[in-house]
Amino acid sequence: MEVTLKYFGIIADITQKTEESFFIAEESITLNNIKLKIEIKYPKILVINYSIAINKKFLQNDILLKNQDEIAFLPPFAGG
């Protein structure tokens, strides 16, 4: 399975990327599993409160991901 990870703001600074393809050997994987893999790969992300959107929709619950899903890691938003 392959998903696209997108990083914004300070998260893009930490990862040194705005986007990457993420290949998963497992046939099924949950959002929380991906989140853990990213936090291991980029441990500095652990100090940030961030939101996650799947296919441009904010989710609060863990879900089973599908091939070609787009996962966005979004830093806190500031009003202005």
Side-chain angles (χ1 to χ4, degrees):
M1 178 184 343
E2 179 181 2
V3 295
T4 300
L5 306 178
K6 294 193 172 194
Y7 308 111
F8 297 88
I10 192 166
I11 299 171
D13 293 341
I14 290 169
T15 63
Q16 301 283 302
K17 302 174 185 186
T18 57
E19 183 176 311
E20 70 179 309
S21 292
F22 200 77
F23 297 95
I24 303 154
E26 300 95 330
E27 289 196 24
S28 64
I29 192 165
T30 65
L31 176 60
N32 280 344
N33 292 129
I34 289 285
K35 185 178 168 187
L36 287 173
K37 288 178 184 287
I38 295 305
E39 289 172 348
I40 290 168
K41 187 174 180 180
Y42 305 109
K44 289 183 181 179
I45 201 171
L46 289 168
V47 299
I48 300 168
N49 290 323
Y50 61 90
S51 300
I52 296 178
I54 306 291
N55 301 322
K56 300 181 182 177
K57 294 179 184 174
F58 286 98
L59 299 174
Q60 299 297 325
N61 300 325
D62 195 20
I63 65 162
L64 196 60
L65 297 174
K66 299 183 294 291
N67 191 41
Q68 302 300 315
D69 275 346
E70 179 183 278
I71 305 163
F73 289 79
L74 305 157
F77 298 103

